[in-house]
Amino acid sequence: MESDIERAGRLILASKYVVGLTGAGVSVESGIRPFRGPGGLWTEYGEPPMDGYQRFLANPKEYWEERFIKRSGYRKQLYETFEVAKPNPAHYALAELEELGVLRYLITQNVDNLHRAAGSKKVAEIHGNFSKLRCIQCGSRYGREEISLETIPPHCPRCGGIIKGDGVMFGEPIPSDILRICEEETSKSDCMLLVGTSAFVYPAAGFPQEVKRRGGALIEVDPYETGLTPFCDVSLRGKAGEILPQLVDYIKAKLQPGESST
Ligand code: APR
């Protein structure tokens, strides 16, 4: 009887363009809470208001005070875990799949920077990166150390526009440069590897559906069923940090020494 890991590995090796889509679940073993389901932040605090961005535009000073100066409640907890979190075996496994030429691109909904920290290069952070700031006018991104907070809200050194955290708020449009990459990579993909996402939030949740609509394959890694389970060709039930290294081992064993899948 072929195991699910073997079925998933064979499907990946038979595919031409594998793209990964990750969510909060891939960072749970790094000590970062998910948003939904058991232990989820929104499960405890309730989903945030859907007009967060409109509130920011109405009063950017208050946004800065709340998020970067006073910082209380779940945000304090969340950002403190981001500051200290380290990649786990799931992040390293995905970086290795990229290195092997098996994973062509990685779309992440996470703002925790852990995929990059694990060595992934071809990464699109569709909801932004907590360690960066972004101008809402010209889209320029800055490291936190590059922008003085003497006056808040700070303004863009390039165009004078208002600067906010790079994290995409509810109600905020996804920055067009990132969205374009995500849509391009999805349009090329014939197999999507879904890791630790409830597939609840759009536009990210729409990417696997598009791959499926075009006859592509879906593989999910999640301890629990998700909204996409019925559409998946293989569902690997368990923790990403335990399952993904096994998947990499299987794929490496199938690839001839020194061979990459491209
Ligand atoms: N390994 C793999 N998956 C896990 C693990 C684990 N160790 N632990 C939990 N999960 C799964 C959960 O079962 C769930 O299906 O990860 C998923 C996390 O789902 P969400 O918390 O909804 O996170 P995500 O899908 O990334 O949310 C999307 O919603 O609130 C917004 O901006 C936020 O980017 C986020 C978006």
Side-chain angles (χ1 to χ4, degrees), residues 3 57 62 72 78 81 84 101 107 157 167 220 224-225 240:
S3 75
L57 292 173
E62 186 185 84
S72 56
L78 194 58
T81 50
V84 296
I107 300 169
E220 76 174 349
Y224 307 101
E225 291 216 348

Side-chain angles (χ1 to χ4, degrees), residues 8-246:
R10 204 161 40 73
L11 208 44
I12 286 171
L13 288 168
S15 303
K16 291 190 189 58
Y17 205 90
V18 182
V19 169
L21 176 66
T22 67
V26 78
S27 296
V28 165
E29 292 151 88
S30 296
I32 301 177
R33 291 173 67 175
F35 296 98
R36 297 170 190 86
L41 269 174
W42 306 157
T43 313
E44 180 180 349
Y45 292 94
E47 291 262 350
M50 288 300 123
D51 62 349
Y53 187 58
Q54 287 63 33
R55 293 171 185 221
F56 157 75
L57 292 173
N59 191 344
K61 191 164 184 295
E62 186 185 84
Y63 158 91
W64 274 93
E65 278 161 358
E66 256 177 29
R67 286 189 180 226
F68 293 92
I69 296 161
K70 280 191 236 141
R71 198 176 279 165
S72 56
Y74 74 80
R75 278 205 194 88
K76 186 171 183 322
Q77 196 192 105
L78 194 58
Y79 279 78
E80 279 166 4
T81 50
F82 287 161
E83 308 278 0
V84 296
K86 298 274 179 284
N88 69 60
H91 298 105
Y92 289 114
L94 291 164
E96 191 170 0
L97 285 178
E98 181 189 324
E99 184 84 21
L100 290 166
V102 171
L103 194 65
R104 301 300 197 89
Y105 221 91
L106 185 60
I107 300 169
T108 186
Q109 298 167 84
N110 302 342
V111 299
D112 57 33
N113 200 49
L114 292 179
H115 285 301
R116 291 191 193 286
S120 288
K121 308 250 175 333
K122 297 182 185 156
V123 182
E125 294 158 317
I126 191 167
H127 295 157
N129 184 309
F130 92 100
S131 66
K132 294 183 185 155
L133 304 175
R134 174 168 37 88
C135 168
I136 63 168
Q137 196 161 280
C138 70
S140 299
R141 292 183 181 84
Y142 301 93
R144 284 189 184 201
E145 67 297 343
E146 296 177 79
I147 301 291
S148 138
L149 295 187
E150 250 163 61
T151 53
I152 54 167
H155 287 262
C156 175
R158 281 198 194 97
C159 78
I162 291 179
I163 296 236
K164 66 179 284 295
D166 185 37
V168 176
M169 304 170 80
F170 281 109
E172 181 177 359
I174 304 284
S176 54
D177 55 344
I178 301 288
L179 188 58
R180 194 177 318 114
I181 294 170
C182 295
E183 289 172 342
E184 266 167 27
E185 294 302 318
T186 297
S187 69
K188 292 188 254 178
S189 177
D190 61 350
C191 177
M192 203 164 248
L193 177 60
L194 315 168
V195 185
T197 181
S198 60
F200 197 73
V201 172
Y202 286 77
F207 300 149
Q209 295 170 32
E210 189 209 315
V211 170
K212 195 72 201 166
R213 238 191 332 272
R214 279 189 290 101
L218 298 181
I219 298 164
E220 76 174 349
V221 180
D222 198 300
Y224 307 101
E225 291 216 348
T226 73
L228 284 171
T229 299
F231 308 99
C232 288
D233 299 82
V234 185
S235 290
L236 301 172
R237 287 277 160 263
K239 296 179 175 177
E242 290 165 12
I243 288 188
L244 286 180
Q246 295 175 51

